[in-house]
Every structure is written in structure tokens, then in C-alpha cells.
Amino acid sequence: QVQLVESGGGLVQAGGFLRLSCAASRRIFSINAMGWYRQAPGKERELVAAITRGGSTNYADSVKGRFTISRDNAKNTVYLQMYSLKPEDTAVYFCYLDQSVHRYWGQGTQVTVSS
């Protein structure tokens, strides 16, 4: 059983910076896409950013130019650097990892941005 362990969430003021990390609990082969979703209270879960095995990235319009996704394939880890944070970025952030047809999820980490 693979677990994804997230870290880096917390409370930050508007305009601040946070870096989220998500690491697999064991070595995984043939990982395809990795990425991050978020879910704010009363809202549906939305895709924030994704990165393919080859390094191609995709971002939600609301975070383009502020967030950067990256991955370390050797460590089975995906990162999300979040700059110029806004109160509307407040949510629980979930990482995911796709291996073949299976998707693994992290447990979620809270990000709170105060105004």
C-alpha cells in the first residue's frame, strides 16, 4: 500500500509564501502525472496544478504566475511553491500520484491565508 505524505501547509499572511511537499512512502515505478488539488469550505475540489512524467505543467487560471509545481522522480516527490498568496487560496490541498490506471491521494494539508 502506498501512502502520500504531505507537508508544508500552515497559516500565512496575504502576499506570503508557502512550499508544499508530497512524498510517496515507498519507491514507485512508472509514475505518470503528479499534482495538487484543493478544496475550500463549501466548494468542490479543483485542480491547482499538475506535472507529467516529462515535466509538462498545467495550472488553474487562478494560480498562474503565482504557483510553481515541480517533481523529483528519484524521490517520488512533488512540490508546490506558492507565492503571492491570497485569502482565496485558503483551502485543504491534496496531492495525487498516477501510476498506470491507479491514482493515489495524500491526506490533505491545510493552507490558510489571512488578509
Side-chain angles (χ1 to χ4, degrees), residues 24-100:
S25 58
R26 64 171 177 81
R27 179 73 172 165
I28 303 174
F29 296 94
S30 302
I31 298 174
N32 296 321
M34 304 177 77
W36 295 87
Y37 278 75
R38 68 185 179 187
Q39 187 164 22
K43 295 187 177 181
E44 293 186 354
R45 189 175 294 194
E46 63 171 350
L47 178 66
V48 177
I51 184 167
T52 67
R53 181 166 52 186
S56 297
T57 58
N58 180 43
Y59 296 93
D61 288 342
S62 59
V63 307
K64 283 181 181 177
R66 300 188 297 119
F67 290 12
T68 301
I69 189 171
S70 60
R71 62 190 280 175
D72 185 330
N73 292 326
K75 296 182 178 179
N76 291 168
T77 300
V78 62
Y79 306 95
L80 186 67
Q81 297 188 97
M82 305 185 293
Y83 300 88
S84 302
L85 282 160
K86 303 175 181 180
E88 50 264 44
D89 294 319
T90 296
V92 178
Y93 285 69
F94 299 89
C95 67
Y96 73 89
L97 176 160
D98 289 338
Q99 182 193 30
S100 185

Side-chain angles (χ1 to χ4, degrees), residues 4-10 20-22 36-39 45 91-96 105-111:
L4 300 185
V5 180
E6 301 167 357
S7 60
L20 305 183
S21 300
C22 172
W36 295 87
Y37 278 75
R38 68 185 179 187
Q39 187 164 22
R45 189 175 294 194
V92 178
Y93 285 69
F94 299 89
C95 67
Y96 73 89
W105 288 97
Q107 80 284 359
T109 185
Q110 177 70 46
V111 171

